[in-house]
């Protein structure tokens, strides 16, 4: 007998097809280990890139591409990779992504130059874009409808743990300037993840389509999204009206229009466009896009404010987010179960979480230079953690319940893409609000200074760092604080639109499934590992 209780299998069968029968909780655990590694790595590098810049003798603008290149790959590919999982097998695609991510992590840790590191980070981002949609699709496939709320909530809770561990681990490693360990710690975790996936994740795919790829659709969608995402990523640096940025937006829009036209003609399209006729699917993805723009788009600027304005160390900056991220991890499973129970009223959960985030931005309007962390930011962080904990599992459940199970990879890929691109757009838009205020207000306040003193002060303020002395420093502090408050106003406005979009989610709870001997056998197989979600 195999470890999973199924029929005996040789190594070749196990490699190609997975276990004959696996406990759903073991499957969830195996998928979540890879997800945890991915989420930790996503946030740990944000803390490490100043140390990377120093060690590899690269300017900050160059070193930032270690983050930007990863984000581009993560934002462009999830729809395609999620659908490839439906076509070729979600387990097979997940294993490929995990192996690629682990190998790229080793290469990043050994990189001898900044350009090699950037290239390996892009490869790592490709692996992450393959993995993340697959983890949600595998989770959804493994559980019957009445248990999916708890399963998806647990999946989201693991994402929350990544939010907790990533910044803190990054701060600890960067304290000793050991940035290479940011990547090398992935090796043992990745190898363990591969072993567990081989043992406990069964294969599943969309049996209604052949194993063939719409390469034209994949190329058009990836190129179009890449141009648009690159435009948003570079807009603040190159200027929103520069020919390069406008060309990126126009070219991306044309390629995506060509993609839609090609998909309509394709016999077996990469993306089933009929899914976008589902109002719940579209509005849940839109709400997630806007929510990510507000929450995750503002997070880098909050970190800069704490470190450059208040003087926090990277470790202190990571620890400052703990109250928020701990709430996220704790609330996700609860949110999934509650969303399952609410059924058609699930939108109320998404709306409540979006309102909570909006109020967190509202609280920041009373921020002062000497407010301090406990009074100035902690209450906002708690409100934000409450909002994220309620929204993310509920929107995931709404998206995955709105499509046929055979399209789980495509649905999870679209949802992942909406979040990733929403984050990038939020970073760009909120950064533009802050920079516009600094660049238009501060030069007037420093008009009495020589240009050789005023220009560096404005440049430093653009990174939330007050420079100069006396009245010049006070003017810079006031401008930075005002810009941060304006950023909060913009975040509040985006949250309001996200709340309105959530109001159009019309989730329908899955119909009760008839009890069969096979279903009873599946439940019996799950009992030793974890309780069922009968309470949810």
């Amino acid at each position: 007998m195999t470890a999973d209780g199924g029929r005996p299998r040789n190594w070749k069968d196990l490699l190609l097809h997975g276990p004959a029968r696996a406990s759903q909780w073991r499957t969830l655990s195996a998928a979540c280990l890879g997800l945890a590694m991915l989420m930790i790595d996503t946030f740990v590098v944000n803390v490490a890139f100043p140390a990377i810049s120093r060690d590899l003798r690269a300017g900050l603008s160059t070193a930032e591409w270690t983050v930007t290149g990863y984000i581009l790959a993560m934002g462009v590919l999830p729809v395609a990779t999620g659908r490839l999982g439906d076509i070729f097998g979600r387990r097979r695609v997940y294993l490929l992504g995990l192996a690629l991510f682990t190998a790229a992590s080793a290469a990043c840790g050994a990189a001898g130059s900044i350009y090699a590191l950037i290239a390996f980070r892009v490869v790592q981002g490709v692996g992450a874009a393959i993995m993340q949609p697959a983890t949600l699709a595998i989770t959804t496939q493994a559980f019957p409808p009445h248990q999916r709320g708890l399963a998806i909530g647990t999946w989201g809770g693991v994402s929350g743990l990544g939010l907790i561990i990533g910044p803190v681990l990054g701060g600890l490693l960067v304290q000793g300037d050991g940035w290479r360990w940011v990547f090398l710690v992935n090796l043992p975790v990745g190898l363990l993840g591969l072993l567990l996936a081989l043992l406990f994740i069964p294969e599943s795919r969309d049996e209604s389509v052949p194993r063939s790829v719409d390469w034209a659709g994949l190329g058009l969608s990836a190129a179009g999204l890449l141009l648009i995402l690159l435009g948003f990523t570079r807009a603040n640096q190159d200027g929103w009206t520069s020919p390069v940025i406008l060309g990126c937006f126009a070219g991306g829009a044309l390629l995506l229009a060509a993609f839609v036209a090609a998909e309509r003609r394709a016999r077996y399209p990469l993306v089933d466009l009929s899914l976008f006729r589902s109002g719940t699917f579209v509005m849940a993805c839109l709400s997630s896009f806007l929510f990510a723009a507000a929450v995750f788009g503002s997070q880098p600027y909050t970190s800069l404010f704490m470190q450059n304005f208040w003087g926090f160390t990277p470790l202190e900056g990571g620890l400052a987010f703990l109250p928020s991220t701990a709430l996220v991890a704790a609330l996700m499973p609860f949110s999934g179960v509650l969303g399952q129970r609410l059924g058609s009223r699930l939108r109320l959960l998404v709306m409540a979480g979006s309102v909570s985030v909006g109020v967190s931005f509202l609280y920041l309007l009373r921020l002062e230079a000497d407010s301090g962390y406990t009074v100035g930011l902690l209450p906002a962080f708690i409100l934000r953690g409450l909002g994220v904990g309620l929204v993310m599992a509920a929107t995931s459940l709404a998206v995955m319940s709105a499509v046929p199970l055979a399209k789980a990879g495509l649905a999870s890929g679209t949802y992942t893409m909406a979040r990733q691109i929403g984050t990038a757009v939020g970073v760009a838009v909120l950064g533009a609000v802050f920079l516009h205020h600094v660049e238009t207000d501060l030069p007037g306040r420093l008009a009495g200074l020589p240009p050789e003193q005023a220009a560096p002060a404005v440049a430093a303020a653009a990174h939330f760092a007050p420079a100069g002395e006396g009245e010049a420093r006070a003017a810079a502090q006031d401008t930075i604080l005002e810009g941060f408050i304006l950023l909060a106003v913009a975040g509040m406005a985006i949250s309001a639109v996200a709340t309105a979009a959530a109001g159009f989610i019309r989730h329908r709870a899955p119909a009760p499934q008839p009890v069969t001997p096979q279903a009873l056998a599946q439940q019996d197989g799950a009992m030793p590992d974890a309780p069922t979600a009968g309470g949810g």
Side-chain angles (χ1 to χ4, degrees):
M1 298 292 287
T2 60
D4 58 17
R7 61 181 174 80
R9 287 200 164 198
N10 59 39
W11 67 268
K12 187 175 180 181
D13 285 336
L14 192 64
L15 179 65
L16 294 177
H17 307 294
R21 183 167 65 101
S23 158
Q24 55 201 18
W25 293 100
R26 290 176 182 170
T27 299
L28 177 62
S29 299
C32 282
L33 179 63
L35 176 67
M37 178 179 70
L38 164 64
M39 296 306 296
I40 290 170
D41 196 82
T42 298
F43 291 94
V44 75
V45 180
N46 291 338
V47 179
F49 80 79
I52 292 171
S53 174
R54 291 193 303 271
D55 189 50
L56 296 181
R57 297 180 178 86
L60 274 178
S61 61
T62 303
E64 284 174 355
W65 276 95
T66 59
V67 175
T68 303
Y70 183 91
I71 290 172
L72 289 174
M74 276 289 288
V76 165
L77 293 174
V79 172
T81 56
R83 187 55 182 154
L84 290 178
D86 291 338
I87 294 171
F88 293 105
R90 299 171 186 108
R91 174 183 182 269
R92 183 176 301 174
V93 168
Y94 172 73
L95 285 168
L96 171 64
L98 182 53
L100 185 64
F101 186 90
T102 304
S105 296
C108 287
S113 71
I114 189 63
Y115 298 106
L117 179 59
I118 290 169
F120 292 136
R121 275 287 283 171
V122 172
V123 176
Q124 196 183 36
V126 173
I130 295 172
M131 285 171 60
Q132 190 167 356
T135 60
L136 182 54
I138 287 168
T139 298
T140 304
Q141 188 79 31
F143 285 79
H146 69 280
Q147 289 184 304
R148 262 177 218 147
L150 176 60
I152 291 176
T154 303
W155 174 89
V158 170
S159 298
L161 286 174
L163 293 172
I164 294 172
I165 298 170
V168 176
L169 180 61
L172 286 170
L173 294 174
V174 173
Q175 291 289 100
D177 215 30
W179 65 264
R180 293 183 186 275
W181 286 104
V182 165
F183 303 105
L184 296 177
V185 293
N186 292 332
L187 296 183
V189 181
L191 292 173
L192 177 60
L194 286 168
L195 176 62
L196 294 182
L198 288 170
L199 292 176
F200 299 131
I201 296 181
E203 190 58 281
S204 63
R205 64 177 294 268
D206 183 355
E207 300 292 344
S208 67
V209 296
R211 287 185 170 88
S212 62
V213 180
D214 173 20
W215 293 110
L218 193 155
L220 287 170
S221 65
L225 289 170
L226 177 62
L227 284 176
I228 288 176
L229 195 54
L230 185 62
F232 277 110
T233 302
R234 301 288 299 177
N236 285 328
Q237 184 169 338
D238 296 343
W240 286 82
T241 58
S242 73
V244 172
I245 298 304
L246 293 177
C248 283
F249 289 143
L254 287 173
L255 286 171
L256 290 181
F259 164 70
V260 172
E263 294 302 276
R264 291 182 182 278
R265 294 193 303 268
R267 183 177 180 184
Y268 296 106
L270 180 72
V271 174
D272 183 355
L273 297 178
S274 66
L275 293 182
F276 293 92
R277 296 173 190 160
S278 166
T280 291
F281 179 77
V282 171
M283 298 313 295
C285 287
L286 176 60
S287 180
S288 178
F289 168 89
L290 294 165
F291 189 80
V295 175
F296 303 120
S298 65
Q299 187 164 314
Y301 302 112
T302 307
S303 294
L304 285 172
F305 182 84
M306 289 189 293
Q307 292 186 38
N308 293 350
F309 190 81
W310 278 348
F312 283 29
T313 66
L315 178 58
E316 289 170 340
L319 291 172
F321 283 107
L322 273 180
S324 175
T325 49
L327 262 176
V328 173
L331 284 175
M332 283 282 209
F334 165 79
S335 173
V337 172
L338 181 58
Q340 188 96 55
R341 286 186 171 180
L342 286 172
S344 61
R345 295 173 293 165
L346 178 143
R347 65 182 180 277
L348 299 178
L349 200 60
V350 183
M351 294 173 72
S354 299
V355 168
S356 181
V357 167
V359 174
S360 78
F361 285 114
L362 178 64
Y363 183 86
L364 293 179
L365 302 189
R366 60 188 297 278
L367 191 66
E368 297 179 358
D370 58 352
S371 293
Y373 169 75
T374 304
V375 175
L377 288 181
L378 181 58
F381 281 0
I382 291 173
L383 286 166
R384 188 170 300 185
L386 176 64
V388 175
L390 292 177
V391 167
M392 287 183 62
T395 52
S396 301
L397 180 62
V399 166
M400 300 308 290
S401 301
V403 302
L405 194 57
K407 313 295 183 186
L410 174 59
S412 60
T414 305
Y415 173 71
T416 299
M417 183 200 71
R419 263 185 22 205
Q420 294 293 338
I421 294 184
T423 299
V425 172
V427 169
V429 171
L430 296 178
V433 169
F434 176 80
L435 287 173
H436 177 75
H437 179 73
V438 169
E439 292 172 354
T440 57
D441 182 80
L442 188 55
R445 295 186 178 190
L446 301 178
L449 292 179
E452 61 270 17
Q453 294 181 25
V458 174
H463 294 87
F464 289 80
E469 298 178 356
E471 292 183 4
R473 185 178 183 85
Q477 285 181 326
D478 290 343
T479 300
I480 292 169
L481 185 62
E482 291 165 4
F484 189 62
I485 289 173
L486 285 174
L487 185 152
V489 171
M492 187 167 55
I494 297 172
S495 300
V497 181
T499 305
F504 291 94
I505 296 174
R506 295 292 184 265
H507 171 71
R508 293 184 179 180
Q513 300 295 312
V515 178
T516 64
Q518 290 80 5
L520 290 173
Q522 182 184 17
Q523 290 179 5
D524 290 341
M527 286 300 288
D529 284 49
T532 66

